[in-house]
C-alpha cells in the first residue's frame, strides 16, 4: 500500500508534471512532379516541427536554398518560443543570402519557408515567408493559417483582383518575400492554441495550385491516418498533371 504513492509521484516527475502536454506527429512526402528536372522543395518532419520550403533560382541554387532553410530551422528550434522559430528563419535568410552573394552559380537563389513548431507551452508557433502554406483542420473544417507573399495574393488582399482572376494571373508565381534574396527579411509569425484532434497540413504551391482547398478538406475527412493523407494529397496533385514539385507534411496534434 505504501508503495503506490512513490510510484505515482515518480510518474508525475517523468512527465514534467504536465500530463496534458500535447504531441505533434508528422508524415511528409516530397515529389518531383511530372514536369520538372529537379526537386527544389524540402520538408522537415520531426516530432515537434513540421516545415516545407520551396527553392527558386534554378539548379543548383533552388535545391541548396530550400535544403539550407529546412536544415537550419530544424537544428535551431528547441520548442522554446515563437521568437526562437522566427530567429531561425532570419538566420537561414542571412546564411542563404551570404552564399548567394559569394558562391559561383548560386546568384539569385532563395526559398519559401513555412514552419509549424510545437512549443513547450503546448501551443503552436507558425512562421511563414513566401507562398508555401499551413492549414489547420479542426472540427471538420479547414482554415488557412498563413498569408501568401506573392503579387497576386497582395492584389487579392487589397481587393484589386478577384479569386477567379488570381488563378490565371500572369504574376501568380512572383513572390514579394522570400528567404535569401536580401540581407534581412520580414517573417510572419503567430501562436495558435491547440485542441485534441487538430491536424495540420503544410504544403508548397505544387499542391495547392493543382488541388482545391475543398479537396484538401475532403482528404482530411476521409483519411484518418496522416501517412495515408499525405499520400492522397500528393497523388491527387500528380493526377492533375503535377506541373511543379509537390511537398506535403500532415501532422496530428494529440493532447
Ligand atoms: Mn513550387
Amino acid at each position: 500500500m505504501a508503495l503506490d504513492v512513490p510510484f505515482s509521484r515518480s510518474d508525475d516527475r517523468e512527465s514534467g508534471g504536465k500530463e496534458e502536454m500535447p504531441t505533434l506527429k508528422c508524415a511528409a512526402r516530397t515529389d518531383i512532379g511530372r514536369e520538372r528536372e529537379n526537386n527544389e522543395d524540402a520538408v522537415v518532419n520531426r516530432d515537434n516541427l513540421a516545415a516545407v520550403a520551396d527553392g527558386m533560382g534554378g539548379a543548383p541554387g533552388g535545391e541548396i536554398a530550400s535544403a539550407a532553410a529546412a536544415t537550419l530551422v530544424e537544428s535551431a528550434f528547441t520548442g522554446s518560443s515563437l521568437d526562437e522559430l522566427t530567429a531561425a528563419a532570419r538566420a537561414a535568410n542571412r546564411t542563404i543570402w551570404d552564399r548567394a552573394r559569394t558562391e559561383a552559380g548560386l546568384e539569385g537563389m532563395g526559398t519559401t519557408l513555412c514552419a509549424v513548431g510545437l512549443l513547450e507551452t503546448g501551443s503552436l508557433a507558425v512562421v511563414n515567408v513566401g507562398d508555401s502554406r499551413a492549414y489547420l483542420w479542426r472540427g471538420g473544417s479547414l482554415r488557412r493559417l498563413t498569408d501568401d507573399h506573392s503579387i497576386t495574393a497582395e492584389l487579392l488582399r487589397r481587393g484589386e483582383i478577384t479569386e477567379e482572376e488570381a488563378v490565371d494571373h500572369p504574376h501568380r508565381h512572383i513572390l514579394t518575400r522570400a528567404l535569401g534574396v536580401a540581407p534581412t527579411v520580414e517573417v510572419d509569425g503567430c501562436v495558435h492554441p491547440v485542441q485534441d484532434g487538430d491536424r495540420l497540413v503544410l504544403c508548397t504551391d505544387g499542391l495547392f495550385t493543382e488541388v482545391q482547398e475543398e479537396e484538401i478538406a475532403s482528404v482530411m475527412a476521409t483519411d484518418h491516418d496522416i501517412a495515408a493523407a499525405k499520400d492522397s494529397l500528393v497523388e491527387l496533385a500528380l493526377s492533375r498533371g503535377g506541373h511543379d514539385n509537390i511537398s506535403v507534411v500532415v501532422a496530428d496534434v494529440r493532447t
Side-chain angles (χ1 to χ4, degrees):
M1 183 173 91
L3 286 177
D4 288 359
V5 174
F7 274 129
S8 75
R9 279 183 184 154
S10 166
D11 287 345
D12 281 352
R13 272 198 300 275
E14 277 174 21
S15 62
K18 297 178 197 163
E19 289 168 26
E20 302 297 314
M21 183 63 195
T23 61
L24 192 67
K25 287 279 176 245
C26 304
R29 179 163 162 193
T30 181
D31 192 290
I32 193 170
R34 300 202 188 282
E35 294 191 353
R36 297 291 167 95
E37 291 181 0
N38 300 293
N39 189 348
E40 299 188 333
D41 286 359
V43 296
V44 175
N45 63 328
R46 208 175 69 179
D47 272 357
N48 66 346
L49 182 66
V52 293
D54 182 344
M56 61 195 196
E63 281 173 76
I64 289 172
S66 62
T71 305
L72 290 165
V73 167
E74 184 172 10
S75 61
F77 182 69
T78 67
S80 75
S81 65
L82 171 63
D83 283 350
E84 179 187 60
L85 193 56
T86 304
R90 289 189 206 288
N93 177 74
R94 187 72 212 196
T95 298
I96 298 163
W97 166 249
D98 284 341
R99 289 192 65 182
R101 274 187 316 153
T102 56
E103 292 183 35
L106 300 184
E107 313 82 46
M109 73 171 176
T111 185
T112 71
L113 176 69
C114 179
V116 180
L118 181 64
L119 300 176
E120 288 158 2
T121 59
S123 295
L124 295 171
V126 182
V127 301
N128 178 51
V129 176
D131 68 348
S132 299
R133 293 180 179 173
Y135 293 94
L136 174 65
W137 168 255
R138 174 183 287 174
S141 63
L142 191 74
R143 180 160 70 102
R144 204 199 301 176
L145 300 179
T146 51
D147 288 327
D148 294 347
H149 305 131
S150 65
I151 288 183
T152 48
E154 310 282 356
L155 291 173
L156 200 55
R157 279 198 287 280
R158 293 207 298 260
E160 293 178 20
I161 57 171
T162 64
E163 292 270 2
E164 283 166 4
E165 287 168 334
V167 172
D168 292 321
H169 198 277
H171 295 156
R172 66 190 178 281
H173 297 302
I174 300 179
L175 300 183
T176 52
R177 283 195 236 168
L179 292 189
V181 298
T184 59
V185 67
E186 187 183 350
V187 179
D188 283 356
C190 55
V191 172
H192 288 273
V194 296
Q195 294 177 9
D196 190 40
D198 281 354
R199 182 176 275 191
L200 295 158
V201 181
L202 279 71
C203 59
T204 56
D205 65 337
L207 181 78
F208 66 75
T209 57
E210 312 277 12
V211 179
Q212 302 293 309
E213 289 184 4
E214 299 75 38
E215 296 174 305
I216 297 174
S218 166
V219 168
M220 292 306 110
T222 310
D223 286 334
H224 298 292
D225 173 61
I226 53 175
K230 58 105 167 95
D231 285 334
S232 295
L233 292 174
V234 171
E235 298 298 337
L236 201 49
L238 287 169
S239 76
R240 301 283 162 75
H243 298 91
D244 191 6
N245 306 145
I246 306 150
S247 297
V248 175
V249 185
V250 181
D252 271 340
V253 176
R254 292 280 178 262
T255 65

